[in-house]
C-alpha cells in the first residue's frame, strides 16, 4: 500500500488532493489502495479516511521520523523555513511534489512566462512570490529529484476563496456584474482536479523536466470568465464597466494584474485539461451545497454603496 503525505489537507487545494488520493487509485502504482496522511494542526474538519498527523508545520521536529512515505505532496508550504522544517522532519524522501505559484515570475518579463525565464520579485504579489521562490530554491538544493508545479488561478470544488463563488452569487441574484475597465484583462485558470491528474502523471512517468507551469491552454479575460460563470447557472450577465480611480479589489475578486503562462510542457504530458465551462459547472454544483465553506467578502456592500446608480 502506497503511503502519501499531504501537507495541510483541510482547505481547498490540499483538501481536494487529500480527498483525491483517499478515493482514487493512482495510475502510477499497481497497488490496490493508497494510505493518505495529512499534516496539520487538527483545528479543522478532516477528510474522511485520512490519517491525521497533528502538528504545526513551523515546528515539525521529529513528528514525522517514525513514518515512511512513498510520496510527499507539499501544498501549504509558503516559505523557505516551512520547507526546511518539512524536509528536515522526514526520515527519508522518495517522490516529492511542491505546489508553488506563478507569482515567482517578475511582471516585467515578456509573456507568456516560460519555465526557463529568470524568477524574482513580482511587485504585484510581493512577499508571497518571493517566499515561494525561496522555498523552491531550497527544495531544489535538498531534493533535486523533486517536482515543482507553478499554477495560475486555481478553481473548482472546495475553493474557499470568494472568486468564482462571488460571480455565482451575482448570477443567482440576477445582479449586474461590474468589471474593471473594458474587461479585457487576461486571466488564466486551472481546474483543481486537473492539478491532481497532472500530479498522477508525473509520478507515473517521472519526466526529466522538474519544473512545470500548469494551467489551461487558453487564456481567458474578465468578460469571458464572468460569462462562463453565469452559464454554469444557465444565465447571462449584464456587464457594467467601471472606469476611473476605483480600487477593483473592493468590488472584483482578482488583482489588477493580467498574465499568461506557457503550459506547452504540461500539455505534452496531459493534453486534455478540463475546459473552463465544464470546470465551472462542477464548481457550482459543489457550491450550491457548500456556500458556507467560502470566505465571503463584502463586495456587494461596496457595489451597492458606491457603484449602483
Amino acid at each position: 500500500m502506497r503511503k502519501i503525505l499531504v501537507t495541510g489537507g483541510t482547505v481547498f487545494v490540499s483538501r481536494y488532493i487529500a480527498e483525491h488520493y483517499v478515493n482514487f487509485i493512482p495510475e502510477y502504482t499497481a497497488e490496490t489502495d493508497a494510505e493518505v496522511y495529512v499534516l496539520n494542526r487538527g483545528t479543522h474538519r478532516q477528510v474522511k479516511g485520512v490519517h491525521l498527523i497533528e502538528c504545526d508545520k513551523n515546528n515539525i521536529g521529529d513528528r514525522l521520523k517514525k513514518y515512511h512515505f512513498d510520496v510527499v505532496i507539499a501544498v501549504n508550504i509558503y516559505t523557505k523555513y516551512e520547507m526546511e522544517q518539512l524536509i528536515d522532519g522526514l526520515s527519508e524522501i522518495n517522490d516529492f511534489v511542491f505546489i508553488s505559484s506563478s507569482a515567482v515570475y517578475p511582471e516585467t518579463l515578456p509573456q507568456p512566462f516560460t519555465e526557463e525565464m529568470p524568477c524574482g520579485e513580482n511587485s504585484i504579489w510581493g512577499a508571497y512570490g518571493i517566499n515561494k521562490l525561496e522555498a523552491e530554491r531550497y527544495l531544489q538544493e535538498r531534493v533535486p529529484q523533486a517536482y515543482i508545479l507553478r499554477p495560475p488561478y486555481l478553481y473548482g470544488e472546495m475553493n474557499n476563496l470568494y472568486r468564482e463563488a462571488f460571480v455565482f452569487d451575482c448570477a443567482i441574484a440576477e445582479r449586474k456584474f461590474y468589471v474593471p475597465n473594458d474587461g479585457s484583462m487576461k486571466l488564466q485558470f486551472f481546474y483543481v482536479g486537473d492539478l491532481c491528474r497532472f500530479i498522477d502523471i508525473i509520478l507515473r512517468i517521472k519526466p526529466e523536466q522538474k519544473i512545470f507551469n500548469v494551467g489551461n491552454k487558453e487564456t481567458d479575460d474578465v468578460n469571458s470568465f464572468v460569462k462562463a460563470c453565469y452559464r454554469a447557472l444557465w444565465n447571462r450577465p449584464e456587464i457594467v464597466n467601471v472606469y476611473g480611480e476605483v480600487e477593483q479589489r473592493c468590488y472584483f475578486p482578482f488583482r489588477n494584474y493580467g498574465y499568461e503562462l506557457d503550459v506547452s510542457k504540461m500539455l505534452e504530458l496531459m493534453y486534455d485539461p478540463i475546459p473552463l465551462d465544464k470546470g465551472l459547472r462542477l464548481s457550482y454544483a459543489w457550491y450550491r451545497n457548500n456556500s458556507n465553506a467560502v470566505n465571503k467578502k463584502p463586495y456587494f456592500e461596496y457595489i451597492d454603496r458606491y457603484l449602483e446608480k
Side-chain angles (χ1 to χ4, degrees):
M1 181 178 290
R2 302 277 286 189
K3 291 182 170 59
I4 300 173
L5 173 66
V6 179
T7 65
T10 61
V11 176
F12 189 25
V13 178
S14 64
R15 186 177 187 88
Y16 192 103
I17 291 174
E19 190 165 301
H20 171 78
Y21 285 108
V22 166
N23 296 307
F24 176 72
I25 301 173
E27 297 177 3
Y28 60 85
T29 175
E31 300 286 348
T32 58
D33 205 354
E35 194 170 24
V36 181
Y37 293 77
V38 294
L39 173 71
N40 62 67
R41 293 178 296 172
T43 56
H44 294 84
R45 181 173 60 89
Q46 305 295 322
V47 169
K48 185 178 180 181
V50 301
H51 301 277
L52 171 62
I53 302 173
E54 191 171 329
C55 180
D56 190 321
K57 63 182 177 180
N58 290 289
N59 188 25
I60 293 176
D62 295 330
R63 293 297 305 277
L64 299 176
K65 293 298 184 183
K66 66 179 180 180
Y67 298 97
H68 161 82
F69 301 109
D70 300 289
V71 181
V72 175
I73 305 175
V75 185
N76 66 336
I77 300 298
Y78 300 107
T79 67
K80 175 185 175 182
Y81 179 77
E82 292 172 355
M83 184 65 77
E84 183 178 4
Q85 283 284 302
L86 176 59
I87 292 173
D88 286 346
L90 293 165
S91 59
E92 61 178 320
I93 298 178
N94 296 299
D95 290 331
F96 196 111
V97 180
F98 175 40
I99 310 303
S100 184
S101 171
S102 55
V104 300
Y105 296 113
E107 78 280 11
T108 53
L109 293 174
Q111 297 187 31
F113 301 140
T114 68
E115 293 91 343
E116 293 76 23
M117 286 182 172
C119 296
E121 182 178 3
N122 181 305
S123 65
I124 306 299
W125 294 103
Y128 171 76
I130 286 293
N131 289 337
K132 278 285 192 180
L133 181 58
E134 290 178 350
E136 280 191 13
R137 289 172 173 168
Y138 185 80
L139 174 62
Q140 289 175 301
E141 292 174 3
R142 294 286 304 275
V143 190
Q145 76 273 22
Y147 290 97
I148 296 170
L149 307 185
R150 295 171 175 167
Y153 290 113
L154 290 163
Y155 76 99
E157 300 95 314
M158 304 184 194
N159 189 356
N160 64 313
L161 301 174
Y162 202 33
R163 288 177 176 164
E164 67 263 28
F166 168 61
V167 191
F168 294 154
D169 280 346
C170 290
I172 291 168
E174 298 186 342
R175 294 176 63 110
K176 300 175 185 177
F177 196 89
Y178 291 81
V179 303
N181 301 307
D182 64 356
S184 64
M185 185 181 77
K186 291 184 295 185
L187 295 173
Q188 193 170 13
F189 295 95
F190 197 44
Y191 176 58
V192 67
D194 279 339
L195 179 67
C196 291
R197 287 176 59 211
F198 191 65
I199 293 172
D200 292 338
I201 289 170
I202 61 175
L203 291 175
R204 174 168 54 86
I205 68 175
K206 305 290 181 62
E208 184 176 340
Q209 173 97 9
K210 300 303 180 185
I211 299 177
F212 288 89
N213 292 337
V214 295
N216 288 351
K217 179 180 180 180
E218 302 80 11
T219 300
D220 292 274
D221 61 19
V222 172
N223 288 328
S224 61
F225 170 69
V226 171
K227 291 174 182 177
C229 288
Y230 273 69
R231 281 197 299 272
L233 285 76
W234 302 98
N235 205 337
R236 181 179 299 176
E238 178 185 347
I239 289 178
V240 179
N241 303 102
V242 179
Y243 296 97
E245 299 298 322
V246 181
E247 173 53 54
Q248 74 178 49
R249 288 301 299 276
C250 293
Y251 66 92
F252 183 71
F254 296 96
R255 295 172 184 268
N256 184 17
Y257 174 51
Y259 67 97
E260 181 180 6
L261 301 175
D262 181 327
V263 296
S264 56
K265 290 183 171 61
M266 180 205 77
L267 292 171
E268 291 175 3
L269 304 180
M270 187 180 78
Y271 62 88
D272 58 345
I274 288 177
L276 183 63
D277 274 77
K278 181 177 179 180
L280 286 171
R281 287 195 298 270
L282 293 169
S283 183
Y284 177 63
W286 173 83
Y287 180 65
R288 283 185 303 178
N289 299 314
N290 296 276
S291 63
N292 60 343
V294 177
N295 298 324
K296 299 190 177 184
K297 294 188 175 182
Y299 298 135
F300 288 129
E301 289 85 342
Y302 185 91
I303 291 169
D304 291 344
R305 183 171 183 179
Y306 296 106
L307 301 182
E308 277 287 352
K309 297 181 180 178

